[in-house]
């Protein structure tokens, strides 16, 4: 393979990594929001 092919493969790998990381952050954010709502309900006595 030539250099352009390696560059393209590296670019794809980097963007897949960034996309996966963003998905992970989104999942963590949803879990945190759920937990905050649970804690607020406990505080308010619901």
């Amino acid at each position: 393979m030539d250099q352009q092919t390696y560059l393209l493969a590296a670019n794809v790998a980097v963007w897949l990594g960034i996309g996966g990381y963003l998905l992970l952050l989104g999942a963590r954010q949803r879990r945190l929001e759920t937990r905050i709502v649970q804690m607020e309900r406990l505080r308010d006595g619901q």
Side-chain angles (χ1 to χ4, degrees), residues 3-44:
Q3 290 180 346
Q4 289 180 338
T5 304
Y6 284 117
L7 182 61
L8 178 63
N11 192 13
V12 168
V14 167
W15 281 108
L16 286 175
I18 291 171
Y21 183 64
L22 290 174
L23 288 173
L24 176 69
L25 288 178
R28 286 184 182 181
Q29 178 70 25
R30 283 189 298 277
R31 284 196 306 263
L32 283 173
E33 288 173 357
T34 301
R35 184 66 178 136
I36 289 170
V37 168
Q38 290 173 347
M39 293 174 77
E40 288 174 343
R41 286 180 181 163
L42 285 173
R43 182 192 65 194
D44 295 338

